[in-house]
Amino acid sequence: MTDSKYFTTTKKGEIFELKSELNSDKKEKKREAVKKVIASMTVGKDVSALFPDVVNCMQTDNLELKKLVYLYLMNYAKSQPDMAIMAVNTFVKDCEDANPLIRALAVRTMGCIRVDKITEYLCEPLRKCLKDEDPYVRKTAAVCVAKLYDINSQLVEDQGFLDQLKDLLSDSNPMVVANAVAALSEMNDASQSGSPLIEMNAQTINKLLTALNECTEWGQVFILDSLANYSPKDDREAQSICERITPRLAHANAAVVLSAVKVLMKFMEMLSSDSDFVSMLTKKLAPPLVTLLSSEPEVQYVALRNINLIVQKRPDILKHEMKVFFVKYNDPIYVKLEKLDIMIRLASQANIAQVLSELKEYATEVDVDFVRKAVRAIGRCAIKVEQSAERCVSTLLDLIHTKVNYVVQEAIVVIKDIFRKYPNKYESIISTLCENLDTLDEPEARASMIWIIGEYAERIDNADELLESFLEGFHDENTQVQLQLLTAIVKLFLKRPTDTQELVQQVLSLATQDSDNPDLRDRGFIYWRLLSTDPAAAKEVVLAEKPLISEETDLLEPTLLDELICHISSLASVYHKPPSAFVEGRAGLRKSLPARSQEAVHEPNANQSGGGATATVIPSQDSLIGDLLSMDIGGPTVAPNSVTSQQQSAAVDLLGGGLDSLTMNNSTSPSGGPSQSTTGLLGDIFGFSSAQSSMYIPPKTVWLPADRGKGCEIWGSFSRKNGQISMDMTISNKAMQPMAGFAVQLNKNSFGVTPARALQVLNPLPVGVSHETSLPLLITGPVQRMEPLNNLQVAVKNNIDVFYFACMIPMHVLFTEDGQMDKRVFLATWKDIPAQNEVQYTLNNVQLNADGVVQRMQQNNVFTIAKRNVEGQDMLYQSLKLSNGIWVLNELKIQPGNPNFTVSFCTFYAVLPHHICTTKYLFFFNNWLFLKIFKLN
Amino acid sequence: MGVIEKFMPLLMEKEEEGLLTPLLQTTDCTFAYIKYNNLYIVSTTKKNANIALVFVFLHKIVQVMTEYFKEIEEESIRDNFVVIYELMDELLDFGYPQTTDSKILQEYITQEGHKLEIQPRIPMAVTNAVSWRSEGIKYRKNEVFLDVIESVNLLANANGNVLRSEIVGAIKMRVYLSGMPELRLGLNDKVLFESTGRGKSKSVELEDVKFHQCVRLSRFENDRTISFIPPDGEFELMSYRLNTHVKPLIWIESVIERHAHSRVEYMIKAKSQFKRRSTANNVEVVVPVPADADSPKFKTTVGSVKYAPEQNAITWSIKSFPGGKEYLMRAHFGLPSVVCEDTEGKPPIQVKFEIPYFTTSGIQVRYLKIIEKSGYQALPWVRYITQNGDYQLRTN
């Protein structure tokens, strides 16, 4: 007779039928009915309507029936909280039953019913059960405390269950101890405060270690996991715990082994790495880890992910065990991929031959993902073990000859990296690579191939043809490929300028004019500008010697690795992510490896870096293989020291047409007309109100009128003090209610101005109150050209709404304190600045003599380099530097007694722009300077 | 309904992407699952759970249920759902595994349903320090059977080089003893011999030993004594692993000639490289063949050859294969003139065998002492057998 019959029920009136059966007098029929109910529940049918009838069956001396009713209650109590109360009496009674099995069952079930009213009644029975004479009941009650904590943590703390649970740690029965430990760890993890509820001391640890020898395999796991959270007070204690745990490595249960490994890995950190004990432990750890690879595939997977961490932390442990990670034909794919990862980590000169022959074997398998990874692994071996590079390259060549599409593409990607590690060594194979050009259809492979062609353009006779062939479908390519193609062609041009001019023009115009991608456009502009102004600098930048790529590109960051070591055998160790990344809620106590304590006594300074002290230095994350392609720009930018005399070399002619039209476009457009700009700057500086002794601060103007700001009115201005630009605002509440929660955001702007901190305003701002606030600004924000240039778009938010307005940054706050140029540099530069960068102007009605002008200008970070008197006229030569590195030189001609000054301005920039957009400024800078800032009429 | 509803769709999705791992992450939780027959056994967690424990436990569930219901599949789950609920209740509480020893469980969770008048009691063992054995067991004849079984794992590449060879040994016991007997097992363990000054005797260096939970691990750590109170009936007392450099017991040389579009020919030579007085039984050499091969023809002097198209392999079976012999088999297949699109992998040749009365490692049971307070005499029986483990030889 089987239970499957309970699943087949009549459809119509099913609930009704069950109801009457449940209320039957015959025990047998009742039991059958409950089974049918449970069967329905199991397959997901809603049988909650039968709640009262099922609960009525609860008082029975039949244990099987009781269990089923309890099961039903656990499932439906939450949806029927009021009726669940009916069950409380029976629960309480069952908690006092003579049979421990029933007592335990009752307390276990009650803990699973998440209904507040029932929880209240749970406390008393639970308190009794925690002291029950039968260990089976005590161990069940111990877990029940953790269940209760999950429902109502406050209740557990108030009712003193924590202390009772702590007492159970000294229980005579090892199973009870194990469950108490498990419950405590669970609660510690969930604790709101983040600090452990109960601190372990040496005494409790000792009890746990004793119980470890006697409890079930699962209990051993609970105890070991909780030991891993303990911090021994010194190395002696750490070593003695390690000694007592080591035998667990011989347990048949993989979970016991891994938890023991966790404790050992953690406590080893406290021991001197050259002690005999540590070297003994290192030897002892390898065999159990290897044996884990004979367990079930899922357990193997967990073991491999953990071994991956262990190999990074302590490479010594498994360095001789390469062979056990060889892939078997019937391994599941997830095991294969993990084994491959570890093989690469363990690859060394000693075993590289074997590793390579294995990898070659794998590269001919059928599973595409696996094959790809195997090919990639060959490349990584080449980079990691220098002596093997040649063999790796020839292996890769063999693979390319197979002509299997994805193998070829993957091989080309890794060969590019090999070139980057060993430049000028294996270029003989380029011709073979070029044969496969047509088969490359993946962006990464295409980009890699293009990089290779560009990098070695001088050795590839038909490099121009090859690159040109890619250019045809330029706009259909992936961005990665486009960027690479742009760079490669520029490289080619710099190497062979004679016959590739047309090609470079073509790609520049494709990138700058026809593309929507800002990265591509900006890179295009930079190259264009570089090539047109200073090909020598362009050569230095584009063809700069690149740093070699580092060997270990995918190591975990050391602090993360240390944290994960503390989480060995847990989910975090498999994900290689800290628990906070995938566990909801509590930020969590970050675990970290203990520091070595003893050292501190001998060398007081050795302890500073904590657990990471022994970690090896690892190259920064930005050298990841994935990023390699973009290094032409991002990495080693070689800034030309100062671009001075070569400005007008042939490059301008070279690109003449295009460039001219660009410059013309910008300089001839009378651009936007003056908008609501404040009075001309120089005029302000020169001061019609002359009472100033420090930098000129324009008076505040209305930025946001109250009617547009729903009662919020903002007046503002900008100032510069000690090199700090500030946005000074008066915010007034003219509404009928208090305002709160002010915040500000600046849109991208020409100078990258961005708030240095949050806006600080009286919170709340009462009705009718004005608040003065000053927002310090940085110039490190994103840059985007605005029209007019000093336009700044601001968004201010409060609890009422978000408001947008625009204001003008007065130019002089952007003049930096280090704007004084060396005299000789000034002279040389003045001569060399092309005429088109020079503009003359007349300032009218200035009531100051030359000395007054010098002083006033100095206060505003315009520095006088020299003063001459020529034919009765005072000539002032001045320099200033803008916050984005652009220099402005000017010459002031002052005739004593004549209030009209003549000014000449020159601009140039001496620092290679760190913001791409800066290049564009050149095109319109002159124009703007006069129209917006020195506009006097 | 529950979060489990998301499991199958997610599994299918990952399978399609070829990114299947035993863990599936959703925004709500992580699924950890194993597949057994046509069933997925799934656990869910929202926390940073001990995932090694989860997987070991899932496999343990399978083991317990197999011992309860013989076979677990959809049908047996339906047939026994009430017992399964009861079992789950005892197997774990709030996610913490509790009692997973099926012998002990069977004492208080039975399949027949309980007689109304007698209520079951918890066996002492559930909470005892000895959680795997009940008291009051009685046999008329007290006997212990020890099987020392060594499985040879081998991986050789196509050039005939052995990449890896290891022995995974296990000592399995069948214990029919009354009361609470104390057992002590003596092996020719090298570490023990050296520490007791018998370094010259023939001994074995066990690289990694794993014990059943009944063995007192700290005692072994201290003085290499294997002492324990055994569970009743059948169980695996210990397992060990050692890397060997001995000759592969059965060596296969293969010559495969593929003539594209017409035929493929195999020449397989099997060589037994153990002592002449031993014999391997039930030897099977499984040679993979292309999926589209047809019209098989075989020729061999010894044993029989069968083609199993469903496995894309031929199996050469030799009932009895004495040491120091060499046998030959030839096979011939036709190949279609149209080549199949899918590329096939190159599965290795696999060999199965059993060699009784023989261990590769040379491990020996020196004694098994049985002490019970009633003082009965018990007979230990020992058998040795070596068999294939994961025995793979790659082909060209």
Side-chain angles (χ1 to χ4, degrees), chain A residues 3-4 42 61-62 136 147 173 179 186 218 225 249-251 284 291 298 328 330 358 569 571-572, chain B residues 47-48 50-51 59 79 85 90 93 96 98 100 116 119 127 163 208 210-211 221 390 392 394:
Chain A
D3 296 343
S4 54
T42 304
D61 48 6
N62 183 299
Y136 182 77
K147 294 180 188 171
N173 187 292
N179 276 8
E186 167 114 16
W218 312 112
D225 281 355
L249 295 174
H251 203 288
K284 276 195 171 168
T291 302
E298 295 85 6
K328 289 187 215 145
N330 40 355
E358 276 298 292
S569 91
L571 213 44
Chain B
K47 302 198 168 133
N48 183 29
N50 184 327
I51 203 68
H59 282 285
D79 286 353
Y85 270 127
E90 295 300 322
D93 189 5
Y96 293 104
Q98 300 290 311
T100 53
L116 290 179
Q119 279 197 350
T127 50
L163 298 175
D208 186 32
K210 292 270 179 272
F211 291 106
E221 180 81 8
D390 207 338
Q392 303 187 349
R394 294 183 188 150

Side-chain angles (χ1 to χ4, degrees), chain A residues 2-4 6-7 35 38-39 42 61-64 67-68 71 98-102 105 108 135-136 139-140 143 146-147 173 175 179 182 186 213-214 216-218 221-222 225 246-255 257-259 284 287-288 290-291 296 298-299 301-302 323-324 326-330 334 358 361-362 366 369 567 569-572 574-575 579 582-584, chain B residues 1 17-18 20-25 27-28 30 33-35 45-53 55-57 59-60 78-83 85-86 89-90 93-94 96-100 108-109 113-114 116 119-122 126-129 131 155 157 162-164 166 168 207-213 217-218 221 241 243 343-348 350 390 392 394-395:
Chain A
T2 69
D3 296 343
S4 54
Y6 301 116
F7 289 99
K35 283 189 183 177
I38 298 294
T42 304
D61 48 6
N62 183 299
L63 190 58
E64 189 192 34
K67 281 182 179 175
L68 291 176
L71 197 63
N99 188 342
L101 213 49
I102 293 182
L105 179 66
R108 178 161 67 211
Y136 182 77
K139 82 163 177 124
T140 311
V143 175
K147 294 180 188 171
N173 187 292
M175 283 281 279
N179 276 8
E186 167 114 16
N213 290 323
E214 291 168 352
T216 66
E217 43 195 331
W218 312 112
V221 178
F222 308 154
D225 281 355
T246 319
R248 296 299 123 193
L249 295 174
H251 203 288
N253 186 320
V257 175
L258 263 181
S259 287
K284 276 195 171 168
V290 171
T291 302
E296 296 85 358
E298 295 85 6
V299 180
Y301 175 69
V302 175
K323 285 181 175 183
V324 300
F326 285 180
V327 170
K328 289 187 215 145
Y329 184 77
N330 40 355
Y334 54 81
E358 276 298 292
E361 182 82 28
Y362 303 160
V366 279
D369 288 328
H567 289 293
S569 91
S570 79
L571 213 44
V574 178
Y575 286 152
F582 58 90
V583 176
E584 250 181 72
Chain B
M1 206 186 103
E17 293 169 14
L20 206 55
T21 63
L23 291 172
L24 297 176
Q25 208 179 354
T27 47
D28 306 312
T30 295
Y33 68 95
I34 61 170
K35 196 179 178 191
T45 178
K46 286 185 155 199
K47 302 198 168 133
N48 183 29
N50 184 327
I51 203 68
L53 176 132
F55 282 124
V56 175
F57 178 74
H59 282 285
K60 196 79 186 183
R78 277 174 182 280
D79 286 353
N80 297 286
F81 81 94
V82 175
V83 180
Y85 270 127
E86 283 192 61
D89 237 10
E90 295 300 322
D93 189 5
F94 202 42
Y96 293 104
Q98 300 290 311
T99 306
T100 53
Y108 67 116
I109 296 178
H114 306 296
L116 290 179
Q119 279 197 350
R121 287 269 156 183
I122 319 155
V126 172
T127 50
N128 249 355
S131 63
L155 184 63
N157 69 10
V162 176
L163 298 175
R164 214 178 115 201
E166 62 172 12
V168 178
E207 231 170 87
D208 186 32
V209 194
K210 292 270 179 272
F211 291 106
H212 184 271
Q213 59 168 330
L217 294 179
S218 28
E221 180 81 8
R241 183 177 53 80
N243 286 317
T343 46
E344 284 180 50
K346 287 189 298 181
Q350 285 175 296
D390 207 338
Q392 303 187 349
R394 294 183 188 150
T395 59

Side-chain angles (χ1 to χ4, degrees), chain A residues 550-650:
Chain A
S550 59
E551 316 170 358
E552 298 284 357
T553 49
D554 56 348
L555 288 178
L556 288 170
E557 190 262 325
T559 53
L560 175 62
L561 177 63
D562 284 355
E563 192 184 349
L564 292 178
I565 289 286
C566 303
H567 289 293
I568 281 178
S569 91
S570 79
L571 213 44
S573 72
V574 178
Y575 286 152
H576 289 187
K577 284 180 199 159
S580 55
F582 58 90
V583 176
E584 250 181 72
R586 201 172 68 95
L589 212 58
R590 266 186 80 110
K591 293 190 183 176
S592 58
L593 289 179
R596 283 185 45 202
S597 51
Q598 198 200 5
E599 277 318 87
V601 181
H602 306 299
E603 313 160 33
N605 292 329
N607 213 13
Q608 289 160 342
S609 45
T614 54
T616 46
V617 180
I618 285 167
S620 68
Q621 286 283 313
D622 57 16
S623 55
L624 284 176
I625 288 183
D627 275 351
L628 296 181
L629 277 175
S630 50
M631 62 87 64
D632 284 334
I633 286 293
T637 312
V638 181
N641 302 334
S642 79
V643 186
T644 46
S645 57
Q646 312 133 329
Q647 288 269 33
Q648 292 168 326
S649 58

